[in-house]
Amino acid sequence: MASEYRIMDYPEKSWSISKMKVIDNCFREYYYTYYGSHNGWLYQSTDEQKISWRLKKLTNIWIMFGDKLHELIKSLVKDDGSEINVGEIKEHMRVKLNLGVKESLQKYRNGDWDEYPKGEMLQEYYYGEKLKEKDVEEIKKRIESCTKGLIVSKSYNEIKNTAKEILEVDEEKFDFIFVSGIKVYALIDVLYIDEKGNYVIVDWKTGQFSEHDKEQLMVYVLYVMERYKVPIDKVIGRLEYLLIGENYEYKFNLDDIIEINNRINMDLNVINAFLEDKDKNKPRHKEHFLMCDNISKCRKCKFRKLCLNEEEI
Ligand code: SF4
């Protein structure tokens, strides 16, 4: 039986590291991303809801690169047949990215995205710009480096040769746990059991290091412990930096778990401070979500159409 679709007045309350990064970046961006765009897909919504929903769905060339590479790795991990072919991977990435760019260009010319935001749209083209030559060259280099990094990576080789069981591969169902009463989603790139019986969490990184990478891994550890009823000493978290062909492996302890729980609790206070009704997750008025005062940051933001005037954009 088909599940019933219910229109919710407000979005679901949840915590994630990416949400907290948006709050750090700009309060107004936080508003548009998590509240202002809610229900923007409905005919009866306001123009601002519809516009912010469309803008929220824009991507950029770096995110597109990371998404396509993750999709490809997912299919390689799931495919237990053919040998990995470097030339084919590079060609696949080149073709996929070219298609993404062409699709965006076409939508920009036809104004399709403002009609209905289906498929992909690069922010660069939506705002009438072009990809910078130096960025295109950097993407080409990254395709090369990440492909090499994947082939030599400890995780890919263990998954293909010695892993006892693969439990999750970038699942589409967005599983979650509750921490301090708030939903925490966990979308793990790969989770497998190695030959020693450890639960190994792999996070493929297609860009540079980030100070949040290890924290994200700790969230996944919480999820694995709860979902699979595994003790902490049987869980390994591994960050695979494909660009540089290095990995960092972590075993966590109970102090780490307390630390991440504390962090989520503190963040919950921040999330609640923007709410008029904490139970319903009803936001305060938009004006409480202050705009950032850095025009060069705004000029790179996907929501700038809603914040800047024509000349500033
Ligand atoms: S354009 Fe500037 S003020 Fe508006 S959401 Fe983006 S960063 Fe914030």
Side-chain angles (χ1 to χ4, degrees):
M1 197 172 68
S3 62
E4 195 188 335
Y5 175 71
R6 258 191 333 129
I7 296 172
M8 307 287 289
D9 287 341
Y10 307 106
E12 181 186 58
K13 202 183 208 179
S14 66
W15 175 91
S16 68
I17 285 179
S18 50
K19 178 178 275 189
M20 301 318 293
K21 277 201 256 184
V22 176
I23 295 181
D24 275 350
N25 196 47
C26 168
F27 296 147
R28 186 61 58 89
E29 183 186 353
Y30 173 55
Y31 173 80
Y32 285 136
T33 307
Y34 294 98
Y35 295 104
S37 55
H38 181 66
N39 284 340
W41 52 90
L42 299 175
Y43 177 76
Q44 63 270 31
S45 293
T46 64
D47 283 349
E48 188 177 281
Q49 279 174 300
K50 290 177 186 170
I51 294 170
S52 45
W53 175 61
R54 291 198 290 259
L55 298 180
K56 176 186 171 176
K57 288 163 73 68
L58 293 174
T59 185
N60 66 44
I61 193 65
W62 307 104
I63 295 173
M64 185 183 270
F65 167 74
D67 287 349
K68 305 252 175 254
L69 192 54
H70 273 81
E71 276 168 28
L72 179 65
I73 298 173
K74 178 178 176 177
S75 65
L76 289 169
V77 167
K78 284 190 154 182
D79 174 16
D80 47 18
S82 50
E83 280 283 298
I84 194 165
N85 180 316
V86 181
E88 278 179 17
I89 292 180
K90 287 196 263 186
E91 183 58 11
H92 174 98
M93 285 297 294
R94 200 187 60 73
V95 169
K96 287 280 182 182
L97 286 169
N98 273 342
L99 277 175
V101 169
K102 273 191 193 150
E103 195 183 322
S104 299
L105 192 53
Q106 197 176 0
K107 283 176 187 165
Y108 167 67
R109 286 180 179 145
N110 302 341
D112 287 353
W113 192 260
D114 283 333
E115 282 298 313
Y116 189 76
K118 196 162 172 279
E120 293 173 309
M121 180 71 193
L122 286 166
Q123 174 182 329
E124 293 89 336
Y125 287 99
Y126 180 80
Y127 281 107
E129 296 161 357
K130 283 186 177 160
L131 293 179
K132 294 187 183 80
E133 196 54 45
K134 72 173 179 40
D135 291 346
V136 174
E137 287 310 311
E138 178 59 27
I139 291 284
K140 285 182 188 163
K141 279 190 211 155
R142 288 191 181 196
I143 293 175
E144 195 79 28
S145 310
C146 288
T147 307
K148 285 185 192 149
L150 175 68
I151 293 165
V152 300
S153 69
K154 179 174 180 178
S155 302
Y156 190 76
N157 286 289
E158 275 193 5
I159 290 163
K160 287 295 170 188
N161 301 314
T162 58
K164 274 206 224 156
E165 189 181 352
I166 298 173
L167 299 168
E168 293 190 20
V169 188
D170 203 354
E171 305 296 320
E172 271 144 32
K173 59 182 163 42
F174 276 96
D175 212 345
F176 59 85
I177 53 173
F178 281 99
V179 179
S180 302
I182 192 166
K183 246 184 191 179
V184 175
Y185 285 91
L187 183 61
I188 297 178
D189 287 341
V190 189
L191 172 66
Y192 66 92
I193 304 177
D194 71 7
E195 55 188 344
K196 292 181 185 145
N198 293 308
Y199 284 63
V200 184
I201 299 161
V202 181
D203 200 358
W204 308 112
K205 294 290 173 199
T206 57
Q208 313 286 354
F209 292 92
S210 153
E211 55 176 324
H212 301 289
D213 293 346
K214 193 177 163 194
E215 267 180 328
Q216 182 65 67
L217 215 45
M218 276 162 62
V219 174
Y220 294 153
V221 171
L222 275 183
Y223 163 80
V224 170
M225 287 170 66
E226 181 166 330
R227 190 55 83 236
Y228 294 89
K229 309 291 173 226
V230 191
I232 195 163
D233 59 330
K234 293 300 278 179
V235 186
I236 292 173
R238 191 180 301 134
L239 297 166
E240 290 278 7
Y241 291 96
L242 302 179
L243 211 48
I244 53 169
E246 286 180 16
N247 73 70
Y248 292 86
E249 204 165 282
Y250 300 94
K251 276 223 161 201
F252 296 99
N253 57 40
L254 290 176
D255 286 341
D256 296 316
I257 299 296
I258 292 169
E259 189 185 315
I260 192 73
N261 268 290
N262 287 344
R263 153 126 205 221
I264 294 172
N265 267 312
M266 283 195 312
D267 288 349
L268 191 51
N269 291 333
V270 177
I271 291 171
N272 284 338
F274 287 100
L275 298 177
E276 189 182 303
D277 186 322
K278 297 184 182 78
D279 297 325
K280 291 184 180 159
N281 199 29
K282 179 183 179 186
R284 300 175 81 189
H285 189 273
K286 182 174 85 175
E287 298 310 318
H288 290 278
F289 296 75
L290 296 182
M291 294 168 71
C292 90
D293 55 6
N294 180 339
I295 186 76
S296 55
K297 192 197 258 187
C298 291
R299 286 201 176 111
K300 292 183 198 136
C301 174
K302 61 168 83 168
F303 292 109
R304 62 189 186 264
K305 187 177 181 172
L306 288 167
C307 300
L308 305 182
N309 60 40
E310 289 279 312
E311 296 81 61
E312 289 173 321
I313 289 174

